[in-house]
Amino acid sequence: MNNRQLFLSHLAQTTDFPLMIEIEKAEGIYMYGPEGKEYMDLISGIGVSNVGHRHPKVLEAIQNQLDKYLHLMVYGEYVQSPQVQLAKALCETLPSHLDNVYFVNSGSEAVEGALKLAKRYTNRREIISCVNAYHGSSHGSLSVGGNEIFKRAYRPLLPGIKNVVYGSFQQLDEITENTAAFIVETIQGEAGIMVACSEYFKALRRKCDETGTLLILDEIQAGFGRTGKFWAFEHFGIVPDILVCAKGMGGGMPIGAFIANKDVMGAFKNNPLLGHITTFGGHPVSAAASLATIKVIQEEKLLEQVETKANLFKKLLVHPKIRSIHNKGLMMAVEFESFEVLKPIIDRAIENGVITDWFLFCDDAMRIAPPLIITEEEIEKACGVILEAIEGR
């Protein structure tokens, strides 16, 4: 049996229609099939490969760590240089209020930890999240998701969850002294790149302060330079109580984190002790890769290039079938009339070597979130392929 047959026979499937693209190698913004077919990755593996596939400095960090040690002990017991140096580097990108990092393996796990921490610290049980939010697929993270289609088959989920409309000033009154946390994507991703205004975030911050509610910002997709700032909340003049990150954090390696004040994070140490446990969280190889990723973003000045590159996409992607483009930096949604119009365009673009996608809760919009290292020439090439796909070629 070949790999495609083995894939269908033995690998758990998530749909009846997987893409079935076979990849043998990846480099930079490109992936390559067995026969050498080249694919331009315009979605970064869904927000993961922010510094591109197999960045040389990330590979070097991984190799150096492989020569030292792999897993040693469950998280939080041994002093491991990759974890310690990564935590320090992360805190240096953040306001001083956020000075304590808990490493996990993924975005869903980071959300789970953040929710537990908020409930434990406040001794409250109610959590508020937003309509069309996506925070992950495990039971707790699914509970605070905002789309019933994905939730109904798995109920009962966590009790005490309220959904409000992202960006709604009026519904901020739902936050009360009973609310442990308000969890929100700084930029709503799977809703199709929805961006609330600064005034909303400032009002949200005030309401959380007034009620003693912890504000959790989910930057699993929006963090690590995707929007042109290292953290998306920097655009809005606020600071969260707990910050959640993953995806673009690891340079292609699995890692996530939730970050809070040391006093807040200390709630996990007593009653009970070991209030949150992970075996592989902050794996030394992933931590080394993540530290290298931060250095690449900073040293190659990728943040400074994001807005120019996003504007070039918007300048080039002009067609009567494109209704609008909304974005925050290189986190972009290109809107069409319907999924029925969009899906053949995506399929033709893939056939012609450019990989895009749609959004879970916005299937009439094309997802564009390329590696931040993409060049202007590559943007021009990619947009040419997309425009040809729109024309049916």
Side-chain angles (χ1 to χ4, degrees):
M1 297 178 74
N2 62 31
N3 278 343
R4 292 170 67 87
Q5 292 167 323
L6 291 170
F7 174 91
L8 292 172
S9 296
H10 299 302
L11 204 66
Q13 304 294 299
T14 57
T15 71
D16 289 323
F17 43 88
L19 283 172
M20 296 289 290
I21 300 171
E22 189 171 353
I23 300 298
E24 282 202 345
K25 184 181 177 182
E27 192 92 35
I29 72 161
Y30 295 98
M31 301 184 294
Y32 301 90
E35 306 301 322
K37 181 169 181 177
E38 182 181 270
Y39 297 93
M40 190 180 290
D41 184 2
L42 280 200
I43 54 175
S44 303
I46 312 296
V48 170
S49 304
N50 283 13
V51 298
H53 296 279
R54 301 178 65 249
H55 192 287
K57 292 182 179 177
V58 174
L59 293 184
E60 181 183 10
I62 290 170
Q63 185 61 59
N64 288 341
Q65 185 55 42
L66 290 177
D67 291 336
K68 296 174 182 175
Y69 56 83
L70 303 182
H71 175 77
L72 298 178
M73 178 61 163
V74 296
Y75 172 80
E77 296 299 323
Y78 292 173
V79 178
Q80 300 181 47
S81 180
Q83 292 179 351
V84 172
Q85 294 303 316
L86 174 57
K88 176 178 179 288
L90 281 169
C91 291
E92 287 173 349
T93 70
L94 291 161
S96 59
H97 174 77
L98 295 168
D99 62 2
N100 222 238
V101 184
Y102 195 116
F103 290 119
V104 289
N105 306 285
S106 67
S108 287
E109 289 176 69
V111 168
E112 296 285 348
L115 295 176
K116 283 179 64 179
L117 180 60
K119 291 168 75 172
R120 177 67 187 88
Y121 182 77
T122 62
N123 200 30
R124 303 174 184 178
R125 296 295 174 261
E126 179 184 89
I127 296 169
I128 298 178
S129 60
C130 290
V131 175
N132 281 340
Y134 183 77
H135 297 292
S137 199
S138 53
H139 262 76
S141 57
L142 183 63
S143 299
V144 293
N147 191 290
E148 187 60 26
I149 291 172
F150 283 83
K151 296 167 72 167
R152 66 169 64 106
Y154 302 102
R155 291 193 177 279
L157 295 168
L158 283 182
I161 308 297
K162 285 184 185 177
N163 283 152
V164 299
V165 174
Y166 173 80
S168 168
F169 287 85
Q170 291 179 326
Q171 290 196 293
L172 294 180
D173 288 336
E174 295 291 328
I175 304 170
T176 70
E177 284 76 10
N178 296 320
T179 310
F182 189 108
I183 182 169
V184 58
E185 296 162 278
T186 314
I187 312 294
Q188 278 203 313
E190 298 307 320
I193 317 303
M194 296 291 103
V195 186
C197 62
S198 294
E199 290 74 18
Y200 169 76
F201 279 107
K202 289 173 182 175
L204 171 59
R205 178 70 272 178
R206 285 194 300 270
K207 188 68 175 179
C208 287
D209 290 340
E210 290 167 5
T211 58
T213 299
L214 296 186
L215 175 58
I216 303 172
L217 290 185
D218 177 340
E219 298 213 357
I220 292 168
Q221 287 195 52
F224 277 74
R226 174 59 49 193
T227 67
K229 301 281 190 183
F230 198 93
W231 303 106
F233 71 78
E234 296 177 65
H235 293 284
F236 303 107
I238 63 159
V239 180
D241 298 297
I242 305 175
L243 178 65
V244 176
C245 55
K247 285 191 179 289
M249 177 179 181
M253 293 292 287
I255 190 168
F258 55 103
I259 307 170
N261 182 270
K262 190 172 184 179
D263 176 60
V264 174
M265 199 72 82
F268 278 151
K269 294 193 293 185
N270 299 290
N271 298 318
L273 54 78
L274 299 174
H276 194 65
I277 301 173
T278 173
T279 296
F280 294 113
H283 190 283
V285 177
S286 294
S290 182
L291 180 58
T293 297
I294 294 174
K295 291 179 179 178
V296 168
I297 291 171
Q298 294 170 338
E299 293 170 3
E300 297 188 8
K301 301 188 184 303
L302 295 181
L303 300 181
E304 291 90 327
Q305 304 167 33
V306 166
E307 199 60 33
T308 298
K309 292 174 180 179
N311 287 337
L312 183 57
F313 270 109
K314 292 194 286 185
K315 176 183 175 183
L316 295 173
L317 288 177
V318 177
H319 192 279
K321 289 186 179 179
I322 295 176
R323 291 189 160 190
S324 68
I325 299 177
H326 30 111
N327 75 296
K328 197 68 173 176
L330 284 170
M331 194 174 181
M332 313 185 77
V334 182
E335 184 185 1
F336 292 83
E337 180 182 348
S338 65
F339 179 74
E340 289 69 28
V341 171
L342 173 61
K343 182 59 166 62
I345 295 170
I346 290 173
D347 292 342
R348 286 191 291 267
I350 291 174
E351 182 62 29
N352 294 327
V354 170
I355 295 179
T356 66
D357 197 7
W358 65 91
F359 299 90
L360 285 179
F361 312 142
C362 182
D363 65 6
D364 61 356
M366 175 185 288
R367 183 197 305 267
I368 294 181
L372 306 183
I373 63 168
I374 192 169
T375 66
E376 293 187 7
E377 292 76 17
E378 288 165 339
I379 292 171
E380 290 172 1
K381 177 182 174 182
C383 290
V385 172
I386 291 170
L387 291 171
E388 286 188 356
I390 294 172
E391 288 291 338
R393 302 196 299 272

